[in-house]
Amino acid sequence: MSEVKTRVRPAALILTPGAEARIAELMAKAPEGAIGVKLSTPRRGCSGLAYSVDYVTEAKPFDEKIETPGGTLFVDGGSILYLVGSTMDWVEDDFTAGFVFNNPNATGTCGCGESFTV
């Protein structure tokens, strides 16, 4: 009988070391009961979808779970199709700080960069 080998499924989202470090910082000061942070794509902005990162206290059945050295990133199950293959980074400069997404699924963004469309 041959042995069945399963390959590890790649993460739906690639996190840079900067993003992983920021998740660790967020989890270090997380409110009581938080089990991780969750990325979702709620409908808003002029292009239709936006990126949102919030603390979560429970995992939903269809959420994608990505373990990082500093904590767990959950990706909303309803948003995963918009995000597959994306890279999530944390960028800081003199004027702003925030997560930045390189999303190959986005077909357009609004002028201010706050929302995208697929």
Side-chain angles (χ1 to χ4, degrees), residues 13-105:
L13 186 72
I14 300 160
L15 281 83
T16 66
E20 288 183 348
R22 182 60 182 162
I23 290 169
E25 289 173 14
L26 290 170
M27 290 309 298
K29 58 183 179 184
E32 188 174 334
I35 62 168
V37 292
K38 184 173 184 174
L39 171 62
S40 60
T41 56
R43 297 202 171 276
R44 71 171 177 246
C46 26
S47 289
L49 297 169
Y51 300 104
S52 179
V53 179
D54 302 288
Y55 288 111
V56 289
T57 56
E58 65 177 310
K60 302 288 185 196
F62 294 104
D63 287 351
E64 181 83 13
K65 187 176 176 182
I66 301 172
E67 296 294 342
T68 74
T72 304
L73 173 70
F74 294 90
V75 182
D76 177 66
S79 300
I80 199 73
L81 290 177
Y82 306 131
L83 299 168
V84 169
S86 296
T87 300
M88 180 178 176
D89 194 8
W90 177 260
V91 176
E92 289 184 46
D93 63 27
D94 291 340
F95 301 103
T96 62
F99 286 109
V100 175
F101 298 88
N102 180 0
N103 186 344
N105 307 298

